Each structure stands twice: as C-alpha cells, then as structure tokens.
C-alpha cells in the first residue's frame, strides 16, 4: 500500500509545486541578487577599472624613461614631483596592468640598488601575463634576489620556475645556467650537471652554451 502512495506521480508534482510556491520569494531574491552582482561587476570593470588603467598607463611613461638611465633610477622609483614613480603607480593603481608592470620594474630597480628583500616583495606582487619573456624574467629576478641573500635553496626554486616557464632561446638557457650555479653552491653536483647539460642539448646556439662544457666537466669531476 505504501509503495503505491510513494509512486503516485500526482504526489511528486504536488510536492514540487508546493516547494516553489513556498520558496518563491526566496528564489526570486537569490536570482535578483545574482543579476545585481553581475551588473555591479561589469559596471566596476567599465566605469572604475578601465579609466584608472588608462590614467596609470598615461602617467607611467616618464618612470619608464627614467628607468633606462642609471643616474635617474631614484626618480623612476619615487617620481619627479610631476609624474609618479613606479612605487606610487603600484599602490595607487592596483588591479591595473600598469601597476602589475610597475611591480616588475620596481623589483629590478631595487635589485640594482642592492635591496634584495624589497625586490622580492615587489616582484611577488607581479601576476603572470602570459608573456614568454617577461613572466620568466620576473621569476628569475626573484631567484637573483634570493641569491643575493645567499638563500640558494630558494634561488634554485625560482630559477627552475623561470627556466620551465617558457621554452625559448633567451630566458631558458640563461636561467638554466643560474640554476646550475646555485646547485653547485648547494653541493648538488648531479643536478648542476643536468641543468648545464640541458643547455648543451636543447640550446646549442645560445650564448650560455659556449661556456657550458667546462661547467659540465667541473661538476662531473665532483660526483
């Protein structure tokens, strides 16, 4: 008897209808809330982020000019009173492409000034853009900063990320060589040999390959 009652399709229909009737206001409220969030998101993108991104891009060119001149690098970081430096752009225009690139510039400039921790702090705010050159360079710069601090284990971690991030004949052999050198500092000679051998095998035409034979031999002798 109970099986017949449970299998009665009218009971199922009634149950569903009852649910929607009882919860109609809640469902409408939830759907309306989702639609409102979508509207707010696109409004935020178009009316707030887009103008800020354009303003940041228009103001950053001067800092980029200063960054290419050794004697004016402080102005590139701090600004010149008329145009903002990379520090201000990074802070004031966060969530824009210009602020992201400013973090990469800041990391390199801090590293030149002998401030590895400041470099690490800036570079770790950078988000990958998909660039085959810039993305691995930023990871590699973090590796350089850790090398300056003689934290060779962390340096190796970021050099490996940089070498594997993008397979190209410019950044990959550069960071494979640095990876091998820090492995030497860690006395991990087998890993050092493997890094140098990858340059010899995969990037024979690179600048780094011209010195790699001696590095391979040096590490083989220590195994």
């Amino acid at each position: 008897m109970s099986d017949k009652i449970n299998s009665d399709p009218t009971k199922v229909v009634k149950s569903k209808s009852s649910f929607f009737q009882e919860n109609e206001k809640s469902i409408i409220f939830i759907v309306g809330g989702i639609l409102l969030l979508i509207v707010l998101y696109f409004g935020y993108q178009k009316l707030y982020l887009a103008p800020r991104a354009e303003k940041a891009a228009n103001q950053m060119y001067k800092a980029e000019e200063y960054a290419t001149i050794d004697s004016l690098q402080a102005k590139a970081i701090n600004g010149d009173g008329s145009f903002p430096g990379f520090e201000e752009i990074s802070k004031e225009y966060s969530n824009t492409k210009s602020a992201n690139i400013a973090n990469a510039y800041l990391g390199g400039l801090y590293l030149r000034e002998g401030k590895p921790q400041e470099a690490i702090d800036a570079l770790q705010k950078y988000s990958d853009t998909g660039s085959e050159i810039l993305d691995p360079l930023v990871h590699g710069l973090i590796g350089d900063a850790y090398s300056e601090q003689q934290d060779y284990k962390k340096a190796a971690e970021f050099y490996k990320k940089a070498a594997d991030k993008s397979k190209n004949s410019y950044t990959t052999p550069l960071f494979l060589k640095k990876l091998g050198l820090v492995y030497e500092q860690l006395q991990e000679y087998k890993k050092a040999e493997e890094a140098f051998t990858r340059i010899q095998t995969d990037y024979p035409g690179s600048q780094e390959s011209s010195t790699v034979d001696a590095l391979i031999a040096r590490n083989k002798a220590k195994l």
Side-chain angles (χ1 to χ4, degrees):
M1 185 71 174
S2 61
D3 290 342
K4 290 182 179 179
I5 293 173
N6 290 337
S7 61
D8 187 347
T10 62
K11 296 288 185 181
V12 177
V13 172
K14 184 177 180 181
S15 176
K16 287 183 179 179
S17 176
S18 176
F19 171 80
F20 282 107
Q21 286 173 359
E22 291 174 4
N23 296 279
E24 183 178 5
K25 290 184 179 179
S26 296
I27 292 169
I28 291 172
F29 177 77
I30 292 168
V31 172
I34 292 171
L35 291 174
L36 178 61
L37 286 174
I38 292 170
V39 170
L40 288 174
Y41 172 76
F42 284 107
Y44 175 76
Q45 293 284 328
K46 186 174 181 180
L47 301 177
Y48 179 70
L49 286 186
R52 290 176 76 246
E54 184 178 357
K55 186 176 180 181
N58 290 338
Q59 291 192 328
M60 194 167 75
Y61 81 94
K62 201 65 179 179
E64 289 178 312
E65 286 182 7
Y66 289 144
T68 64
I69 305 169
D70 289 344
S71 62
L72 298 178
Q73 287 177 8
K75 289 185 177 182
I77 294 172
N78 301 311
D80 61 4
S82 298
F83 290 91
F86 293 123
E87 276 189 348
E88 183 178 342
I89 291 167
S90 173
K91 292 175 183 176
E92 295 298 321
Y93 300 98
S94 58
N95 299 324
T96 68
K97 291 181 180 180
S98 295
N100 196 36
I101 300 302
N103 287 323
Y105 272 115
L106 275 175
L109 291 170
Y110 284 142
L111 203 52
R112 284 187 189 179
E113 290 191 340
K115 298 177 180 178
Q117 189 55 55
E118 287 88 340
I120 291 168
D121 293 342
L123 293 165
Q124 288 186 330
K125 294 176 184 176
Y126 174 85
S127 299
D128 285 351
T129 62
S131 168
E132 293 186 356
I133 302 298
L134 184 57
D135 291 353
L137 280 176
V138 169
H139 287 294
L141 283 173
I142 297 174
D144 288 344
Y146 279 118
S147 291
E148 286 292 313
Q149 294 180 331
Q150 298 185 353
D151 187 344
Y152 298 119
K153 188 173 182 179
K154 290 292 288 186
E157 176 188 334
F158 281 94
Y159 286 145
K160 188 174 188 307
K161 284 182 181 179
D164 293 339
K165 192 71 181 174
S166 171
K167 302 296 192 298
N168 64 77
S169 59
Y170 174 61
T171 63
T172 309
L174 171 65
F175 292 120
L176 282 173
K177 184 174 181 178
K178 292 189 175 191
L179 177 62
L181 292 172
V182 294
Y183 276 145
E184 281 189 307
Q185 291 293 326
L186 294 167
Q187 298 184 353
E188 297 185 28
Y189 302 117
K190 182 62 177 175
K191 288 184 178 180
E193 180 201 351
E194 289 171 354
F196 295 137
T197 300
R198 276 182 64 188
I199 298 173
Q200 185 185 58
T201 304
D202 298 340
Y203 303 96
S206 66
Q207 182 178 350
E208 289 74 18
S209 68
S210 62
T211 59
V212 82
D213 288 344
L215 295 173
I216 293 171
R218 182 170 75 191
N219 283 273
K220 278 185 176 179
K222 294 179 181 179
L223 292 175

